[in-house]
Amino acid sequence: MEVGLKMANMLGAADRDLNLKETELCLGLPGGGKTEPETPKTGNKRGFSETVDLKLNFQSKEAVDLNEKNNINNSSSSKEKNLLSSCTKDPAKPPSKAQVVGWPPVRSYRKNIMAHQKSSSQEDGEKAAMSGGSSSAAFVKVCMDGAPYLRKVDLKMYKSYQELSDALAKMFSSFTMGGNYGAQGMIDFMNESKLMDLLNSSEYVPTYEDKDGDWMLVGDVPWDMFVDSCKRLRLMKGSEAIGLAPRAMEKCKSRA
Amino acid sequence: MLKRMSYSSFPEDVLEHVFSFVQSDKDRNAISLVCKSWFEIERWCRRRIFVGNCYAVSPRMVIRRFPDVRSVELKGKPHFADFNLVPEGWGGHVYPWIYAMATGYPCLEEIRLKRMVVTDETLELIAKSFKNFKVLVLSSCEGFSTHGLAAIAANCRNLRELDLRESEVEDLSGNWLSHFPDTCTSLVALNIACLGSEVSFSALERMVGRSPNLRTLRLNRAVPLDKLANLLRRAPQLVELGTGAYSSDLRPEVLSNLAGAFSGCKELKGMSGFWDVVPAYLPAIYPVCSGLTSLNLSYASVQSPDLIKLVSQCLNLQRLWILDYIEDSGLEALAASCKDLQELRVFPSEPFGVEPNVSLTEQGLVCVSEGCPKLESVLYFCRRFSNDALVTIARNRPNMIRFRLCIIEPQTPDYLTHQPLDTGFGAIVEHCKDLRRLSLSGLLTDRVFEYIGTYAKKLEMLSVAFAGETDLGLHHVLSGCESLRKLEIRDCPFGDKALLANAAKLETMRSLWMSSCSVSLEACKLLGQKMPRLNVEVIDERGPLDSMPESFPVEKLYIYRSVAGPRFDMPGFVWNMDEDSALRLS
């Protein structure tokens, strides 16, 4: 598989009309590429085929979103580039505060404490039990099998699996693109049999540790529930993830 | 007959004795430049060193020049790491320093680190390498767990200070505290406020009980309020106290017990903690209020009336950190009662809320600037400001040395005139001639930078976000601010021209941070190649730089002077722009 990513191509495409990009990891719902992935209306229980649509195609034609985190642009040229991402926010709309990284400049130490305090002082007693609190930050460690160091993401920065997947792709692209780790990227979860094939391969599977300490497959539950229960993320090699699928199904069933 | 004094015949030990009275680094550095013999004498008797950027110099170079150091202070990541702008894995590893000092400075007694990555392995190495180790301060550090702390506790027989302020510690067990041997009675300061889970309370109690020199104790949230009184009774000599959670079921005996314990603390000058405050328990500290000079209520979600009652009793307060629950009315009361106030920090209770949740405006700060003649250091988060208010503050307080204003919504104009806040901040730099630190916010054009470049001659650190219009803005700052050491910029339309035109200036500064600006890869390369004594580091997570067009703006740029050359521990998303790197990139 051609993994070599030619950024020159991608960036040359910046001036052209930029639609859906097929380059990246998408944790979108089936049909993918929607700007605003809907949260499933049917509640927790979903079969695998409906859970996640993960695709990675490193034969890129489009440019990467350059200033994904920089939502407030001062240069007009980069405004165009912001149109790239299929998951981008509408550039004409001013970004809401929560999306600007590191602004206002409140230390995450403080944000986390305030979040925890607010939830415990709320009348809603059960909220006090939740470790994440009702607002602000939810930092979790992200590790990728084979990568030399871990990363951290604030799950509250994202509104959907799609956005998270984009961010993770960016973060770990330096490993996957160079081909050093032989990664072929995330896998396609379109259907169960394909899932089984791919789980046997060396590609990566996104998993997370939930509040109970169990390792789950990313994408089963509604986004908000995921954010509240996710304690850490692990991009696991496909061949190691085989044991997860049945467990995830069990958990799903037990929640029904 | 003329007697001539010959400096070269001054005995060395006399000079050394004279130098021992000179403690400031700047003065010591000046001494070392006088002549070769002074350089030699001075370097042998320098006992403490401060390295503001751990990558500016290598540990080997430091040890070679200063062979007998007892105290080391290092800083790692750039300041904006506090706001998650520096990706994890960037660097700031302290291990190479500790490894070198383990052999180079066996008599090392004090290590102070800020924004560095400290591993358990590092802590274990510290614990076994320095026989007379006394002070460990880890400020905003990360990468270690309670296992590492256990190693320190178990091995550092003469430990005086263990201060973990705001570090991120992996909490594996509360038992680490029990690793302090019963023979350890030397503790002077213990700050475990950042630890999430419970420490063994009985171990803590015993520790406090056998430490007659304990002056500073900052507990973590897990220490319940009803246990605080007992601790205080064992340590009535405390000068600084950080409470644990300040809440309990309302029981009269807890309150009276606590108040009684506080009455016994005659030396108490500073208090912090106050998580989960139940206001009914605040009166317990009334007995000590009049002695307090420092009060950190910045985690206390308490409403203004209770805060006013508390603060108006602290007549000797010099430093107050508080949430915006205090509101303008509370700040008015503060201005009326606390005439010795020097430092005020007002933090936002809901920084991401779109609508203001409290009535805190520019008025509060204006009031304090009028009523508190010694006010010199301000950090203020609010949602609106005006040029008039800034001008008033500037005129009231020409003695201001630190002024950091954060108007929460980026690019907010003067709420009265809808103009940029250029003239307001201009007044600050014009009137406050000794201003050392400034953080800007609100709607700002190039004009504000012109004022800063013209007037802010003592400014050492400037933080800029979402401001300016053209490269001229950056050029004003780099060409005008003679004392500038640290400049951090995010989301501003500054590009190549100002940076390249002022390249030489960068060698006179500790560091420059620019993120989400318009500096091209080409300019970074040029700078890196032309300035061998600068490390020009591009931080870009989008992918390999070699396929990026030269005209493309880089995501983040961190430039710092260094005599150590490019660093060896750059992760995959950081590139050094010097000549060798440039060859590799093409």
Side-chain angles (χ1 to χ4, degrees):
Chain A
M1 183 173 162
E2 176 58 40
V3 176
L5 189 60
K6 293 274 184 259
M7 265 182 105
N9 272 350
M10 291 180 357
L11 299 170
D15 302 326
R16 302 201 294 271
D17 188 27
L18 307 150
N19 302 322
L20 204 77
K21 65 183 156 150
E22 296 154 62
T23 44
E24 55 199 319
L25 303 163
C26 302
L27 283 168
L29 295 171
K34 293 204 189 73
T35 331
E36 291 293 328
E38 317 115 12
T39 46
K41 298 170 179 75
T42 49
N44 314 347
K45 193 166 182 225
R46 281 178 289 148
F48 258 108
S49 53
E50 294 167 316
T51 53
V52 271
D53 169 12
L54 298 169
K55 47 184 183 175
L56 176 71
N57 181 353
F58 276 129
Q59 281 105 4
S60 65
K61 299 154 191 75
E62 317 292 308
V64 179
D65 177 20
L66 302 169
N67 291 310
E68 190 174 7
K69 296 275 195 232
N70 174 19
N71 292 299
I72 296 186
N73 280 309
N74 292 295
S75 64
S76 50
S77 58
S78 40
K79 272 201 170 80
E80 284 169 56
K81 290 159 190 163
N82 254 358
L83 292 171
L84 294 174
S85 169
S86 57
C87 328
T88 199
K89 301 95 192 159
D90 173 9
K93 240 192 292 174
S96 65
K97 273 184 263 292
Q99 291 169 15
V100 181
V101 178
W103 191 269
V106 176
R107 302 193 48 202
S108 37
Y109 179 79
R110 181 170 292 280
K111 277 193 281 193
N112 286 337
I113 291 186
M114 291 313 297
H116 195 159
Q117 281 206 120
K118 252 207 301 270
S119 59
S120 51
S121 63
Q122 277 166 358
E123 293 128 312
D124 191 357
E126 62 189 348
K127 279 206 169 193
M130 268 168 37
S131 50
S134 58
S135 58
S136 302
F139 282 95
V140 299
K141 290 189 188 171
V142 185
C143 67
M144 175 163 152
D145 288 356
Y149 47 83
L150 275 61
R151 304 302 304 274
K152 260 215 181 123
V153 287
D154 176 1
L155 294 177
K156 300 262 190 209
M157 290 293 307
Y158 312 105
K159 294 207 300 288
S160 64
Y161 285 115
Q162 182 100 357
E163 288 182 23
L164 173 63
S165 148
D166 293 340
L168 291 179
K170 255 178 47 157
M171 265 190 196
F172 289 100
S173 59
S174 51
F175 302 125
T176 51
M177 277 196 267
N180 291 334
Y181 300 90
Q184 302 306 302
M186 302 288 222
I187 56 183
D188 191 340
F189 270 78
M190 282 307 280
N191 56 61
E192 227 166 301
S193 62
K194 220 174 166 186
L195 167 64
M196 283 305 141
D197 289 344
L198 293 164
L199 281 177
N200 284 317
S201 76
S202 62
E203 292 179 352
Y204 285 88
V205 175
T207 63
Y208 71 102
E209 183 183 8
D210 74 358
K211 278 201 286 228
D212 302 330
D214 294 320
W215 284 92
M216 314 288 292
L217 214 54
V218 169
D220 286 344
V221 300
W223 172 254
D224 290 325
M225 195 180 290
F226 167 71
V227 172
D228 283 337
S229 58
C230 172
K231 278 183 34 203
R232 56 195 301 171
L233 278 162
R234 178 177 165 198
L235 303 179
M236 208 179 228
K237 277 214 160 86
S239 45
E240 283 187 45
I242 290 181
L244 279 181
R247 254 163 114 205
M249 291 301 282
E250 267 169 43
K251 262 225 158 167
C252 249
K253 287 178 192 145
S254 67
R255 278 205 188 114
Chain B
M1 212 165 102
L2 276 169
K3 270 197 179 163
R4 276 181 313 172
M5 276 283 273
S6 165
Y7 287 114
S8 59
S9 64
F10 230 47
E12 261 187 38
D13 41 353
V14 174
L15 279 174
E16 200 180 306
H17 184 69
V18 171
F19 295 167
S20 69
F21 292 100
V22 179
Q23 293 300 326
S24 108
D25 285 338
K26 269 180 79 175
D27 293 340
R28 279 277 181 157
N29 292 344
I31 287 176
S32 67
L33 291 174
V34 167
C35 63
K36 284 201 177 116
S37 65
W38 280 35
F39 179 90
E40 273 306 302
I41 297 166
E42 194 282 319
R43 77 182 188 92
W44 278 96
C45 66
R46 178 113 49 142
R47 297 282 171 259
R48 79 185 323 141
I49 49 167
F50 166 75
V51 180
N53 174 5
C54 64
Y55 292 118
V57 66
S58 75
R60 222 167 30 94
M61 286 167 153
V62 173
I63 295 172
R64 198 168 57 212
R65 177 167 169 193
F66 300 112
D68 196 4
V69 162
R70 307 287 160 87
S71 160
V72 169
E73 185 175 347
L74 301 172
K75 293 189 181 180
K77 299 184 204 173
H79 173 238
F80 273 175
D82 284 355
F83 315 123
N84 304 310
L85 290 177
V86 177
E88 199 98 345
W90 174 87
H93 305 282
V94 78
Y95 189 82
W97 284 86
I98 305 300
Y99 183 79
M101 296 193 298
T103 39
Y105 294 148
C107 300
L108 192 66
E109 295 175 1
E110 305 181 358
I111 294 175
R112 293 177 171 82
L113 306 175
K114 187 166 185 181
R115 281 188 216 104
M116 296 200 78
V117 176
V118 182
T119 58
D120 283 347
E121 204 189 359
T122 309
L123 292 176
E124 281 153 23
L125 188 57
I126 292 174
K128 52 175 213 252
S129 309
F130 309 116
K131 296 300 160 219
N132 205 20
F133 196 66
K134 296 197 170 98
V135 172
L136 183 63
V137 178
L138 302 176
S139 178
S140 306
C141 294
E142 50 153 0
F144 61 102
S145 77
T146 44
H147 288 336
L149 296 179
I152 296 285
N155 294 294
C156 301
R157 319 244 131 222
N158 297 313
L159 196 67
R160 292 217 195 123
E161 224 177 292
L162 179 61
D163 185 340
L164 304 176
R165 58 182 85 154
E166 295 176 344
S167 290
E168 213 177 284
V169 185
E170 201 177 346
D171 251 310
L172 297 174
S173 131
N175 275 326
W176 67 272
L177 201 67
S178 323
H179 288 252
F180 278 111
D182 290 334
T183 47
C184 177
T185 57
S186 48
L187 210 61
V188 172
L190 181 66
N191 178 355
I192 54 168
C194 62
L195 294 183
S197 60
E198 257 182 63
V199 280
S200 151
F201 189 76
S202 52
L204 182 60
E205 254 187 337
R206 284 198 309 274
M207 179 61 144
V208 169
R210 64 172 187 264
S211 304
N213 299 318
L214 194 68
R215 294 280 171 275
T216 299
L217 179 64
R218 299 204 196 274
L219 305 169
N220 64 339
R221 199 175 188 172
V223 176
L225 191 60
D226 50 10
K227 300 245 168 90
L228 185 58
N230 282 349
L231 275 180
L232 289 179
R233 291 212 160 84
R234 285 171 200 238
Q237 76 284 5
L238 279 180
V239 175
E240 303 274 334
L241 171 71
T243 71
Y246 206 79
S247 61
S248 183
D249 309 324
L250 288 171
R251 282 174 284 147
E253 67 272 16
V254 173
L255 179 59
S256 55
N257 194 17
L258 195 57
F262 273 113
S263 314
C265 298
K266 308 276 186 216
E267 314 288 328
L268 212 52
K269 292 243 166 318
M271 289 195 68
S272 61
F274 295 108
W275 292 292
D276 313 316
V277 175
V278 166
Y281 279 112
L282 284 176
I285 70 167
Y286 288 176
V288 296
C289 280
S290 58
L292 290 182
T293 55
S294 169
L295 188 52
N296 182 352
L297 291 167
S298 64
Y299 299 110
S301 305
V302 177
Q303 301 306 313
S304 187
D306 291 308
L307 289 175
I308 293 177
K309 262 190 262 174
L310 181 57
V311 155
S312 4
Q313 298 194 47
C314 303
L315 303 176
N316 289 309
L317 207 57
Q318 293 169 15
R319 176 163 65 178
L320 178 65
W321 291 20
I322 203 158
L323 283 170
D324 55 10
Y325 290 129
I326 188 148
E327 300 194 322
D328 289 339
S329 53
L331 291 177
E332 212 179 306
L334 179 72
S337 326
C338 304
K339 295 305 184 185
D340 276 348
L341 195 70
Q342 293 169 20
E343 178 179 328
L344 174 67
R345 295 196 190 188
V346 180
F347 294 95
S349 51
E350 278 177 32
F352 304 108
V354 181
E355 295 303 316
N357 59 320
V358 290
S359 175
L360 180 96
T361 70
E362 80 285 0
Q363 287 312 311
L365 187 56
V366 170
C367 250
V368 178
S369 77
E370 269 159 11
C372 302
K374 301 191 190 164
L375 186 71
E376 60 176 26
S377 176
V378 167
L379 170 62
Y380 200 76
F381 283 82
C382 62
R383 287 185 155 83
R384 73 173 203 204
F385 233 86
S386 65
N387 283 306
D388 274 353
L390 282 168
V391 170
T392 307
I393 293 168
R395 292 210 170 113
N396 287 342
R397 295 274 63 81
N399 53 322
M400 191 75 73
I401 54 176
R402 270 173 238 111
F403 190 75
R404 296 194 277 163
L405 177 63
C406 179
I407 303 166
I408 289 178
E409 179 67 31
Q411 299 176 324
T412 304
D414 178 327
Y415 78 97
L416 293 169
T417 65
H418 306 292
Q419 294 302 300
L421 290 172
D422 300 335
T423 35
F425 279 106
I428 294 278
V429 292
E430 190 185 343
H431 293 276
C432 308
K433 301 202 190 304
D434 290 322
L435 195 69
R436 296 202 303 252
R437 184 165 180 185
L438 178 64
S439 298
L440 305 172
S441 58
L443 183 65
L444 296 165
T445 71
D446 285 347
R447 177 56 71 73
V448 72
F449 299 108
E450 198 183 333
Y451 292 138
I452 293 174
T454 307
Y455 293 111
K457 296 304 181 188
K458 298 275 177 68
L459 192 66
E460 297 179 6
M461 181 168 178
L462 178 65
S463 309
V464 186
F466 305 106
E469 301 157 300
T470 74
D471 269 45
L472 208 50
L474 180 57
H475 175 69
H476 284 309
V477 172
L478 289 178
S479 55
C481 296
E482 291 159 6
S483 311
L484 198 63
R485 292 189 299 114
K486 290 179 278 185
L487 179 57
E488 46 186 26
I489 301 173
R490 60 163 297 176
D491 295 275
C492 295
F494 300 145
D496 302 345
K497 294 202 273 299
L499 201 56
L500 293 175
N502 293 282
K505 170 74 174 175
L506 299 177
E507 272 188 20
T508 69
M509 291 165 55
R510 182 187 296 176
S511 64
L512 167 65
W513 169 278
M514 290 179 75
S515 56
S516 306
C517 296
S518 310
V519 181
S520 70
L521 178 60
E522 184 176 14
C524 296
K525 284 186 185 173
L526 198 54
L527 203 56
Q529 286 157 30
K530 294 286 180 218
M531 309 291 293
R533 287 184 305 186
L534 290 180
N535 277 352
V536 177
E537 291 181 8
V538 168
I539 300 168
D540 207 309
E541 295 178 273
R542 294 171 295 188
L545 286 192
D546 54 4
S547 26
M548 189 159 124
E550 300 267 300
S551 57
F552 236 44
V554 299
E555 266 184 356
K556 299 172 186 179
L557 178 60
Y558 185 52
I559 301 174
Y560 56 91
R561 65 180 175 187
S562 176
V563 292
R567 56 183 175 113
F568 304 117
D569 59 357
M570 289 181 287
F573 51 86
V574 179
W575 289 270
N576 184 299
M577 298 284 109
D578 74 355
E579 263 181 7
D580 299 330
S581 318
L583 287 171
R584 278 189 279 111
L585 281 181
S586 60

